[in-house]
Amino acid sequence: MKIGIADTTFARIDMGRIAAEEIRKHASVGLERYVVPGIKDLPVACKKLIEERGCDLVMALGMPGGAEKDKVCAHEASQGLILCQLMTNKHIIEVFVHEDEAGDAKELAWLMEQRTREHAVNAVRLALRPKDLEKLAGTGQRQGFEDVGPARP
């Protein structure tokens, strides 16, 4: 089993390093990393990780800025990631943290790390233990901020 990590130089923390560290805590799998300048470069990075480097699942990590044009770019990147999943029949876990989700740089760094770590655990579950995700279905899980819980207790 090999998990790919695609991340960007635009992000304000090293999300790829954090993802690799967290994956290594939970599983013994091969890791491949591919770093690109920005989020719109992530779809091809993910496709290369799958098709050229033999990854079974990929995490796409990025931090769109807070401006409206950044939100448009994030949407375009997300569409590319979905298309890549359909083209390769492999999961790509999109881990985007928008710069305006946090009130300041300290909270942004915390959120980026927390969301990355939680999705890295999800990547391991999806790749190796999908039944673990079944147990969590409908429980209101959120990556980064606090879980909201199920609508029906």
Side-chain angles (χ1 to χ4, degrees):
M1 175 64 59
K2 190 187 296 186
I3 295 177
I5 298 169
D7 60 324
T8 72
T9 61
F10 188 82
R12 294 180 61 192
I13 68 169
D14 189 347
M15 297 170 78
R17 179 193 56 77
I18 293 165
E21 178 182 285
E22 193 66 25
I23 290 167
R24 285 187 185 107
K25 284 183 190 176
H26 297 275
S28 180
V29 296
L31 292 175
E32 284 283 333
R33 188 172 178 189
Y34 194 113
V35 180
V36 295
I39 58 169
K40 289 190 296 184
D41 303 305
L42 287 172
V44 73
C46 291
K47 192 168 184 286
K48 285 176 167 282
L49 283 165
I50 292 165
E51 293 182 349
E52 296 175 10
R53 299 192 187 175
C55 292
D56 301 290
L57 176 144
V58 176
M59 294 182 69
L61 309 164
M63 187 214 76
E68 187 58 35
K69 66 182 174 186
D70 297 315
K71 294 178 189 312
V72 171
C73 288
H75 181 262
E76 291 169 351
S78 186
Q79 287 183 313
L81 293 170
I82 292 167
L83 183 58
C84 184
Q85 289 183 85
L86 295 172
M87 291 171 65
T88 62
N89 204 31
K90 303 279 184 179
H91 288 286
I92 298 171
I93 297 181
E94 179 184 307
V95 186
F96 286 179
V97 178
H98 293 257
E99 195 168 27
D100 61 0
E101 285 188 73
D104 57 30
K106 183 178 179 181
E107 183 182 32
L108 179 65
W110 173 85
L111 179 58
M112 292 174 77
E113 180 167 347
Q114 190 66 21
R115 186 167 293 159
T116 299
R117 288 189 185 283
E118 290 183 27
H119 271 304
V121 172
N122 282 336
V124 170
R125 288 173 176 152
L126 191 56
L128 300 175
R129 297 185 297 277
K131 291 286 185 190
D132 289 357
L133 287 172
E134 280 186 37
K135 295 173 189 170
L136 294 171
T139 61
Q141 300 291 303
R142 299 294 184 266
Q143 286 70 43
F145 293 120
E146 189 173 326
D147 297 339
V148 296
R152 294 184 187 145

